Amino acid sequence: MAGPATTGPRGITGWGVHLPYRRLDRSAIKAVAGQGGGTGTRTVASYDEDTTTMGAEAARAALRDSDGKRRPDALWFATTEPAYADRTNANAIHAVLRLDRGVPAYDAVGSVRSALGALRAAWQGNGAVLVVASDTRTGLPGGPDEAAGGDAAAALLIGDDDPVAEIVAWESATEEFLDRWRAPGDARSRLWEERFGENRYADLAAEALKLALGSAGIEAGEVSRLIVAGGTERSASAVARKSGVPSSQVADRLKDTVGNPGAAQPALLLARELEEAEPGQNIVLLTLADGADAIVLRTTDALRNYHPAKPVRSQLAASGPVAYGRYLHWRGLLPVEPPRRPEPARVSSPAANRNAGYKFGFPRSGTQGTIVTFTIDKLSYSLSPPLVFAIVDFDPAPDGAGGRMPVELTDTDPDDVAIGGRVEMTFRRLATSDGIHNYFWKARPVRAAREEK
Amino acid sequence: MASHGIADRVAIIGMGCTRFGEHWDKGLDELLQAAAGETFSSAGVTKDDVDAYWFGTAQSAMSGIALAKPLGLAGKPVTRVENYCATGSEALRQAAYAVASGAYDMAMAIGGEKVKDGGYQGLNAFPIPGDGTARSVTAAAMFSMVAPAYARKYGVDTGEMKKALARVASKNHRNGARNPRAQFRKEYSVEALCAMPAVAGGLSVFDCAGVADGAAAAIVVRAEDARKYTDKPLIIKALSLVAGNGGGLEDPSYDYTTFPEVAASARDAYAQAGVKDPRRELAMVECHDCFTPTEVVLTEDLGLTGRGTAWTEVLKGTFDLEGEVPVNPDGGLKAFGHPVGASGLRMMFEAWLQLRGEAPDDRRISTCGNRKLALTHNLGGYPGEMVSFVSIVGVE
């Protein structure tokens, strides 16, 4: 086991999660696709969200929770579904967080395991490292990823400054086998006969778990929570069953509400368990993705004083439905007649660069506001008409500065908008033109309020 | 700060205006030739008599060449002018100031817009490369926020407000129906208009200006020379322009029930012209009724009626052809149509007809012969971020 390079015990010093507002009822799928679907819901990234915007939201939540005390010295972004190829997606998140130029930003893209790689680099590195994992799982209509997948982002801040959970052991098992794959550009990932993957993960997980528990010096019976992430529901269940950890201690994988959000799932499930955990507990995160990674964490007294700004619990409760047809449209799987308006012009790269402090690092991004008046525009170009637009007055800052912004609303339905409604800012993708994503801020109703643990 | 104006120093001696509408068979060149030709005939001059040209178009062409070419001008100074939807008025302002300065004896202001070649309904601004943070909302949506704000501030019932807005459209359609140059020549009842489906906020398509192709022009000379060309010149009393700085969009005290740029340009224009009581001195008003709530607020910003009272005046018919102060007797942007670069001069064309007693009988304003002053108001932009132009002209 390669230990951390720094002296103090490294671990998780903060976390943030973003669950998209929309939920797809899996029972709606079969009537249209003729197959697939199931029970429960999955999360659906809105038409104006991608892995970068969701990652930015999770990262903001992670840093907001630390009350500005902990700023990362490095940023990693992991996804299987990058908004851009051949350029770093993490830079947009870097700009949203207004990180110093000296803070490097790197992508780890391609597989679910990329997220574990980024996390391991953070653990083995120095200083505070923010690891953002974000994913959208789509597949084809009626397919397994559509039904089992979910969209989400989760960020973990890793460092040695009073962690809420120390990483006490990390063991990996790797071998070359193919159970899930996708050629770049393909609409879906393919799966080998599921029994094969289940067989390989059973061995790899058992091996990594045994080594990790050994390194940590604990028995399976001393594990407070076992999180099995990655893989399929079937392989993950099988691994959990054979782990030796009592089934009562096996963490809920949020199958019925979120689904499996790929690269974001390990950090999401860990964040969820940390929200419910007590100091002094052993939490094991066992991830099945092209091998197995077993991480043993021990929660500390610092957990008592950690209050996540946007707990998973409240984000699970705050949701709105999306019809299956609209979901398909949002994912580009159901081309509907586009608005008969000129397409938005592509963003000027130099102009966006000059104004990055406003465009990405919007100064009032952390301030809530109130809707002064609003309008529903059925004439404007929108990827999901009608466009809902409001005049928002920001709450006064401590220095008395308030301010107003005419801004597009999102994560809302036209009938739910009201004068006096409270909104918060959210980082979104306005449109894409010439392959350039136009990222900027919108406002959305305040729903997931800060909760005391 | 001084705004001295050029009252009584410059006069309009000829005007022309094409029919506004969907001119599928005409390009900008043909529209400009038609408006210019009618204007030259109206003044009894030729293109060579005109010393300088100001050509307004918002986005149908660039540079003075776009006018010099279709008119076949040789060696003339031609300036292309753009100032949003106030472009046509801005062209007139430049031409009038040039003559007042003594630089030229005779100048033409001409405005034209060819919008129906774009392939999309409504107006679409051409894209200027930017950082992607500009608002994407339509003008209709921005102005739609005025109606609920106004109703709330003054305690107007939503149904009554809707009726007042429909009454504005109904009046302007009624006037347009009597105007052979107007885009829409059909009358609509208040009931029919209230039943139209909303497209932006509470506004229906019938609350919005017509989108049209068209051109209009005027020729100006020094006032002392005007009677060489016509017995009934239109004397320029005031020209005022205010460009807002966009502050309203970010100002929490801005309440969407007034357009400060309009109020400021009106004050300036009334001072230049010496108008003390616009409601009793003005024979007519052409105002920028891009959307029905705009006209309601404009009649207050222009001082025709007190704050919070315009909606009742509208319902009472104060601004009808037969009313106390006719507003948009030619049908306005609503029914006459809105070829952006031409609209300011189109408004002036109606003042030209009405003050000179040349408007047809069924469109003659109630004040005809009794009052000598007309006001045109032309704006561009949005609530909180606009340019506003006000002119006052008279026959004495």
Side-chain angles (χ1 to χ4, degrees), chain B residues 208-230:
Chain B
C208 308
V211 177
D213 303 324
I219 291 174
V220 291
V221 299
R222 281 185 296 277
E224 66 257 34
D225 299 332
R227 284 174 207 284
K228 289 188 222 164
Y229 303 95
T230 175

PDB file of all heavy atoms in Angstrom, chain B residues 208-230:
ATOM      1  N   CYS B 208     -48.666  43.086 -30.242  1.00  0.00           N
ATOM      2  CA  CYS B 208     -47.334  43.399 -30.758  1.00  0.00           C
ATOM      3  C   CYS B 208     -47.421  44.166 -32.072  1.00  0.00           C
ATOM      4  O   CYS B 208     -48.358  43.989 -32.845  1.00  0.00           O
ATOM      5  CB  CYS B 208     -46.535  42.122 -31.007  1.00  0.00           C
ATOM      6  SG  CYS B 208     -46.472  41.006 -29.594  1.00  0.00           S
ATOM      7  N   ALA B 209     -46.390  44.990 -32.316  1.00  0.00           N
ATOM      8  CA  ALA B 209     -46.306  45.737 -33.568  1.00  0.00           C
ATOM      9  C   ALA B 209     -46.229  44.778 -34.733  1.00  0.00           C
ATOM     10  O   ALA B 209     -45.699  43.675 -34.622  1.00  0.00           O
ATOM     11  CB  ALA B 209     -45.056  46.622 -33.556  1.00  0.00           C
ATOM     12  N   GLY B 210     -46.738  45.220 -35.867  1.00  0.00           N
ATOM     13  CA  GLY B 210     -46.578  44.448 -37.086  1.00  0.00           C
ATOM     14  C   GLY B 210     -45.126  44.497 -37.544  1.00  0.00           C
ATOM     15  O   GLY B 210     -44.448  45.502 -37.373  1.00  0.00           O
ATOM     16  N   VAL B 211     -44.659  43.393 -38.103  1.00  0.00           N
ATOM     17  CA  VAL B 211     -43.298  43.355 -38.627  1.00  0.00           C
ATOM     18  C   VAL B 211     -43.404  43.509 -40.140  1.00  0.00           C
ATOM     19  O   VAL B 211     -44.017  42.686 -40.807  1.00  0.00           O
ATOM     20  CB  VAL B 211     -42.603  42.038 -38.253  1.00  0.00           C
ATOM     21  CG1 VAL B 211     -41.224  41.980 -38.875  1.00  0.00           C
ATOM     22  CG2 VAL B 211     -42.519  41.918 -36.740  1.00  0.00           C
ATOM     23  N   ALA B 212     -42.826  44.599 -40.632  1.00  0.00           N
ATOM     24  CA  ALA B 212     -43.073  44.969 -42.029  1.00  0.00           C
ATOM     25  C   ALA B 212     -41.815  45.467 -42.714  1.00  0.00           C
ATOM     26  O   ALA B 212     -40.859  45.894 -42.082  1.00  0.00           O
ATOM     27  CB  ALA B 212     -44.150  46.064 -42.077  1.00  0.00           C
ATOM     28  N   ASP B 213     -41.857  45.406 -44.038  1.00  0.00           N
ATOM     29  CA  ASP B 213     -40.865  46.087 -44.880  1.00  0.00           C
ATOM     30  C   ASP B 213     -41.417  47.472 -45.211  1.00  0.00           C
ATOM     31  O   ASP B 213     -42.638  47.635 -45.329  1.00  0.00           O
ATOM     32  CB  ASP B 213     -40.675  45.341 -46.204  1.00  0.00           C
ATOM     33  CG  ASP B 213     -40.269  43.890 -46.022  1.00  0.00           C
ATOM     34  OD1 ASP B 213     -39.504  43.608 -45.080  1.00  0.00           O
ATOM     35  OD2 ASP B 213     -40.707  43.049 -46.825  1.00  0.00           O
ATOM     36  N   GLY B 214     -40.534  48.417 -45.415  1.00  0.00           N
ATOM     37  CA  GLY B 214     -41.029  49.729 -45.811  1.00  0.00           C
ATOM     38  C   GLY B 214     -39.938  50.778 -45.749  1.00  0.00           C
ATOM     39  O   GLY B 214     -38.828  50.521 -45.274  1.00  0.00           O
ATOM     40  N   ALA B 215     -40.255  51.967 -46.264  1.00  0.00           N
ATOM     41  CA  ALA B 215     -39.308  53.081 -46.233  1.00  0.00           C
ATOM     42  C   ALA B 215     -40.087  54.392 -46.191  1.00  0.00           C
ATOM     43  O   ALA B 215     -41.239  54.456 -46.624  1.00  0.00           O
ATOM     44  CB  ALA B 215     -38.403  53.049 -47.462  1.00  0.00           C
ATOM     45  N   ALA B 216     -39.454  55.405 -45.637  1.00  0.00           N
ATOM     46  CA  ALA B 216     -40.066  56.737 -45.549  1.00  0.00           C
ATOM     47  C   ALA B 216     -38.953  57.771 -45.574  1.00  0.00           C
ATOM     48  O   ALA B 216     -37.814  57.465 -45.208  1.00  0.00           O
ATOM     49  CB  ALA B 216     -40.895  56.868 -44.273  1.00  0.00           C
ATOM     50  N   ALA B 217     -39.282  58.981 -46.012  1.00  0.00           N
ATOM     51  CA  ALA B 217     -38.243  59.997 -46.138  1.00  0.00           C
ATOM     52  C   ALA B 217     -38.798  61.399 -45.962  1.00  0.00           C
ATOM     53  O   ALA B 217     -40.013  61.624 -46.084  1.00  0.00           O
ATOM     54  CB  ALA B 217     -37.562  59.876 -47.509  1.00  0.00           C
ATOM     55  N   ALA B 218     -37.893  62.315 -45.650  1.00  0.00           N
ATOM     56  CA  ALA B 218     -38.250  63.735 -45.504  1.00  0.00           C
ATOM     57  C   ALA B 218     -37.108  64.585 -46.050  1.00  0.00           C
ATOM     58  O   ALA B 218     -35.942  64.188 -45.970  1.00  0.00           O
ATOM     59  CB  ALA B 218     -38.496  64.072 -44.042  1.00  0.00           C
ATOM     60  N   ILE B 219     -37.454  65.738 -46.584  1.00  0.00           N
ATOM     61  CA  ILE B 219     -36.427  66.691 -47.010  1.00  0.00           C
ATOM     62  C   ILE B 219     -36.557  67.944 -46.149  1.00  0.00           C
ATOM     63  O   ILE B 219     -37.668  68.440 -45.919  1.00  0.00           O
ATOM     64  CB  ILE B 219     -36.570  67.053 -48.506  1.00  0.00           C
ATOM     65  CG1 ILE B 219     -36.221  65.828 -49.360  1.00  0.00           C
ATOM     66  CG2 ILE B 219     -35.672  68.234 -48.876  1.00  0.00           C
ATOM     67  CD1 ILE B 219     -36.467  66.011 -50.843  1.00  0.00           C
ATOM     68  N   VAL B 220     -35.411  68.395 -45.630  1.00  0.00           N
ATOM     69  CA  VAL B 220     -35.418  69.581 -44.766  1.00  0.00           C
ATOM     70  C   VAL B 220     -34.566  70.702 -45.376  1.00  0.00           C
ATOM     71  O   VAL B 220     -33.572  70.438 -46.058  1.00  0.00           O
ATOM     72  CB  VAL B 220     -34.896  69.252 -43.340  1.00  0.00           C
ATOM     73  CG1 VAL B 220     -35.888  68.372 -42.592  1.00  0.00           C
ATOM     74  CG2 VAL B 220     -33.520  68.584 -43.374  1.00  0.00           C
ATOM     75  N   VAL B 221     -35.031  71.903 -45.109  1.00  0.00           N
ATOM     76  CA  VAL B 221     -34.270  73.103 -45.508  1.00  0.00           C
ATOM     77  C   VAL B 221     -34.347  74.098 -44.351  1.00  0.00           C
ATOM     78  O   VAL B 221     -35.088  73.887 -43.400  1.00  0.00           O
ATOM     79  CB  VAL B 221     -34.860  73.765 -46.785  1.00  0.00           C
ATOM     80  CG1 VAL B 221     -34.805  72.798 -47.971  1.00  0.00           C
ATOM     81  CG2 VAL B 221     -36.295  74.233 -46.540  1.00  0.00           C
ATOM     82  N   ARG B 222     -33.606  75.197 -44.460  1.00  0.00           N
ATOM     83  CA  ARG B 222     -33.740  76.249 -43.443  1.00  0.00           C
ATOM     84  C   ARG B 222     -35.162  76.806 -43.481  1.00  0.00           C
ATOM     85  O   ARG B 222     -35.761  76.941 -44.563  1.00  0.00           O
ATOM     86  CB  ARG B 222     -32.733  77.377 -43.703  1.00  0.00           C
ATOM     87  CG  ARG B 222     -31.324  77.062 -43.238  1.00  0.00           C
ATOM     88  CD  ARG B 222     -30.412  78.273 -43.413  1.00  0.00           C
ATOM     89  NE  ARG B 222     -30.270  78.634 -44.834  1.00  0.00           N
ATOM     90  CZ  ARG B 222     -29.411  78.043 -45.663  1.00  0.00           C
ATOM     91  NH1 ARG B 222     -28.596  77.085 -45.230  1.00  0.00           N
ATOM     92  NH2 ARG B 222     -29.341  78.428 -46.919  1.00  0.00           N
ATOM     93  N   ALA B 223     -35.716  77.108 -42.330  1.00  0.00           N
ATOM     94  CA  ALA B 223     -37.122  77.533 -42.244  1.00  0.00           C
ATOM     95  C   ALA B 223     -37.404  78.723 -43.139  1.00  0.00           C
ATOM     96  O   ALA B 223     -38.461  78.811 -43.782  1.00  0.00           O
ATOM     97  CB  ALA B 223     -37.482  77.846 -40.780  1.00  0.00           C
ATOM     98  N   GLU B 224     -36.425  79.649 -43.225  1.00  0.00           N
ATOM     99  CA  GLU B 224     -36.687  80.854 -44.038  1.00  0.00           C
ATOM    100  C   GLU B 224     -36.785  80.540 -45.539  1.00  0.00           C
ATOM    101  O   GLU B 224     -37.331  81.309 -46.306  1.00  0.00           O
ATOM    102  CB  GLU B 224     -35.625  81.936 -43.773  1.00  0.00           C
ATOM    103  CG  GLU B 224     -34.216  81.583 -44.213  1.00  0.00           C
ATOM    104  CD  GLU B 224     -33.307  81.175 -43.056  1.00  0.00           C
ATOM    105  OE1 GLU B 224     -33.814  80.559 -42.091  1.00  0.00           O
ATOM    106  OE2 GLU B 224     -32.104  81.468 -43.118  1.00  0.00           O
ATOM    107  N   ASP B 225     -36.247  79.381 -45.941  1.00  0.00           N
ATOM    108  CA  ASP B 225     -36.307  79.004 -47.353  1.00  0.00           C
ATOM    109  C   ASP B 225     -37.515  78.123 -47.671  1.00  0.00           C
ATOM    110  O   ASP B 225     -37.782  77.829 -48.839  1.00  0.00           O
ATOM    111  CB  ASP B 225     -35.037  78.220 -47.744  1.00  0.00           C
ATOM    112  CG  ASP B 225     -33.782  79.067 -47.559  1.00  0.00           C
ATOM    113  OD1 ASP B 225     -33.887  80.311 -47.659  1.00  0.00           O
ATOM    114  OD2 ASP B 225     -32.711  78.483 -47.300  1.00  0.00           O
ATOM    115  N   ALA B 226     -38.208  77.649 -46.607  1.00  0.00           N
ATOM    116  CA  ALA B 226     -39.200  76.584 -46.791  1.00  0.00           C
ATOM    117  C   ALA B 226     -40.314  76.978 -47.743  1.00  0.00           C
ATOM    118  O   ALA B 226     -40.775  76.165 -48.542  1.00  0.00           O
ATOM    119  CB  ALA B 226     -39.768  76.178 -45.434  1.00  0.00           C
ATOM    120  N   ARG B 227     -40.763  78.222 -47.691  1.00  0.00           N
ATOM    121  CA  ARG B 227     -41.924  78.595 -48.498  1.00  0.00           C
ATOM    122  C   ARG B 227     -41.614  78.713 -49.989  1.00  0.00           C
ATOM    123  O   ARG B 227     -42.520  78.887 -50.808  1.00  0.00           O
ATOM    124  CB  ARG B 227     -42.574  79.843 -47.931  1.00  0.00           C
ATOM    125  CG  ARG B 227     -43.365  79.491 -46.669  1.00  0.00           C
ATOM    126  CD  ARG B 227     -43.960  80.624 -45.912  1.00  0.00           C
ATOM    127  NE  ARG B 227     -44.097  80.260 -44.501  1.00  0.00           N
ATOM    128  CZ  ARG B 227     -45.053  79.448 -44.019  1.00  0.00           C
ATOM    129  NH1 ARG B 227     -45.956  78.935 -44.820  1.00  0.00           N
ATOM    130  NH2 ARG B 227     -45.075  79.151 -42.738  1.00  0.00           N
ATOM    131  N   LYS B 228     -40.335  78.615 -50.324  1.00  0.00           N
ATOM    132  CA  LYS B 228     -39.984  78.524 -51.747  1.00  0.00           C
ATOM    133  C   LYS B 228     -40.495  77.212 -52.336  1.00  0.00           C
ATOM    134  O   LYS B 228     -40.667  77.074 -53.527  1.00  0.00           O
ATOM    135  CB  LYS B 228     -38.460  78.559 -51.925  1.00  0.00           C
ATOM    136  CG  LYS B 228     -37.815  79.884 -51.652  1.00  0.00           C
ATOM    137  CD  LYS B 228     -36.329  79.801 -52.076  1.00  0.00           C
ATOM    138  CE  LYS B 228     -35.446  80.473 -51.040  1.00  0.00           C
ATOM    139  NZ  LYS B 228     -34.037  80.099 -51.204  1.00  0.00           N
ATOM    140  N   TYR B 229     -40.651  76.207 -51.425  1.00  0.00           N
ATOM    141  CA  TYR B 229     -40.978  74.865 -51.916  1.00  0.00           C
ATOM    142  C   TYR B 229     -42.422  74.458 -51.620  1.00  0.00           C
ATOM    143  O   TYR B 229     -42.991  73.647 -52.333  1.00  0.00           O
ATOM    144  CB  TYR B 229     -40.024  73.831 -51.277  1.00  0.00           C
ATOM    145  CG  TYR B 229     -38.576  74.136 -51.548  1.00  0.00           C
ATOM    146  CD1 TYR B 229     -37.807  74.855 -50.635  1.00  0.00           C
ATOM    147  CD2 TYR B 229     -37.980  73.730 -52.745  1.00  0.00           C
ATOM    148  CE1 TYR B 229     -36.464  75.143 -50.888  1.00  0.00           C
ATOM    149  CE2 TYR B 229     -36.635  74.011 -53.011  1.00  0.00           C
ATOM    150  CZ  TYR B 229     -35.891  74.719 -52.063  1.00  0.00           C
ATOM    151  OH  TYR B 229     -34.591  75.015 -52.332  1.00  0.00           O
ATOM    152  N   THR B 230     -42.999  75.006 -50.570  1.00  0.00           N
ATOM    153  CA  THR B 230     -44.364  74.619 -50.200  1.00  0.00           C
ATOM    154  C   THR B 230     -45.020  75.723 -49.373  1.00  0.00           C
ATOM    155  O   THR B 230     -44.345  76.447 -48.645  1.00  0.00           O
ATOM    156  CB  THR B 230     -44.381  73.291 -49.391  1.00  0.00           C
ATOM    157  OG1 THR B 230     -45.721  73.047 -48.961  1.00  0.00           O
ATOM    158  CG2 THR B 230     -43.475  73.360 -48.175  1.00  0.00           C
TER     159      THR B 230
END
